């Protein structure tokens, strides 16, 4: 069965610090990978996704993620965080061509101004 | 607005009662998903509908849970004989046909079982 592991449940950073949130999945086939973000008081929204091509994908607000197939990882990065990046971040995976989507437990990021 | 709409936004009910949660997807979205999010936890897949295909019910936790969808429109998630462990936020999402497309989420229904 598919599963997604997010290693950091809570992260606290100061503004301008660099961010990397880990995500590992278990599935042997071709996958689609997603990062979603939930800002306080808002609904979940897509940050970025990977389904084929360049394994380094760029999303909104300066976020990027790198798909490393050999490591079953899809880590999220941002070189310099802002206070407005305070949110909960979810990694998700589904099988290519399939719709059942498995989410990680989420990482709560708090950025100190 | 053109987003996913869920109702009610909050529901408080007594243990043992049945509840029905509603989701209006974005027009034209053929795929519809239900998730459960317990306090402090991630999203737990419950069920998805895709066009006229049979729904994938593999995430429903017990036979007290059921969901229906009429065509490519409204979906209802029903929980019978509610128990306290059913307390959670129930999220609905919709997407266009391809599985590599992003899901658009509603604001959820916060269900509290007394």
């Amino acid at each position: 069965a598919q599963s997604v592991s997010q290693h950091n449940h809570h992260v606290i950073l100061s503004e301008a610090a660099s961010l990397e949130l880990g995500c590992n999945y278990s599935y042997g086939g071709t996958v689609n990978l997603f990062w979603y973000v939930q800002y306080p008081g808002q609904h979940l929204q897509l940050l970025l996704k990977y389904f084929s091509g360049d394994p380094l994908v760029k999303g909104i607000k300066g976020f990027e993620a790198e798909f490393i197939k050999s490591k079953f990882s899809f880590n999220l990065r941002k070189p310099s965080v802002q206070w407005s990046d305070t949110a909960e971040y979810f990694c998700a995976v589904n099988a290519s061509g399939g719709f059942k989507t498995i989410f990680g437990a989420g990482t709560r990021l708090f950025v100190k101004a | 607005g053109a987003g996913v709409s869920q109702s009610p936004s909050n529901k408080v009910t007594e243990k043992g009662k049945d509840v029905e949660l509603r989701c209006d997807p974005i027009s034209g979205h053929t795929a519809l998903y239900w998730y459960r999010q317990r306090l402090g936890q991630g999203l737990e897949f419950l069920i998805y509908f895709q066009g006229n295909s049979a729904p994938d019910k593999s995430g429903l936790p017990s036979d007290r849970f059921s969901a229906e969808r009429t065509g490519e429109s409204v979906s209802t998630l029903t929980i019978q004989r509610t128990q306290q462990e059913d307390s959670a936020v129930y999220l609905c999402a919709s997407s266009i046909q391809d599985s590599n497309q992003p899901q658009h989420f509603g604001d959820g229904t916060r269900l509290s079982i007394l």
Side-chain angles (χ1 to χ4, degrees), chain B:
Chain B
V4 176
S5 178
Q6 291 187 247
S7 60
S9 54
N10 285 283
K11 177 72 176 178
V12 181
T13 192
E14 294 180 345
K15 176 182 173 181
K17 301 287 189 184
D18 297 351
V19 295
E20 187 173 279
L21 313 180
R22 177 187 168 106
C23 173
D24 281 280
I26 293 172
S27 177
H29 281 192
T30 59
L32 186 147
Y33 312 75
W34 283 99
Y35 297 92
R36 178 171 69 180
Q37 186 177 25
R38 289 185 164 132
L39 188 63
Q41 298 185 23
L43 279 69
E44 178 186 358
F45 168 82
L46 296 178
I47 186 171
Y48 80 75
F49 299 88
Q50 165 50 25
N52 295 321
S53 303
D56 181 338
K57 305 179 181 180
S58 62
L60 294 179
S62 76
D63 59 7
R64 296 187 296 106
F65 288 72
S66 63
E68 294 182 350
R69 186 182 187 193
T70 305
E72 295 182 357
S73 62
V74 171
S75 175
T76 55
L77 176 68
T78 301
I79 309 173
Q80 297 178 309
R81 306 181 301 282
T82 53
Q83 301 178 5
Q84 289 187 332
E85 69 209 40
D86 300 333
S87 295
V89 175
Y90 289 83
L91 291 166
C92 176
S94 69
S95 74
I96 63 175
Q97 186 169 358
D98 293 327
S99 64
N100 60 30
Q101 294 302 309
Q103 296 176 33
H104 298 260
F105 285 83
D107 290 330
T109 294
R110 184 174 298 277
L111 177 63
S112 300
I113 309 300
L114 302 178

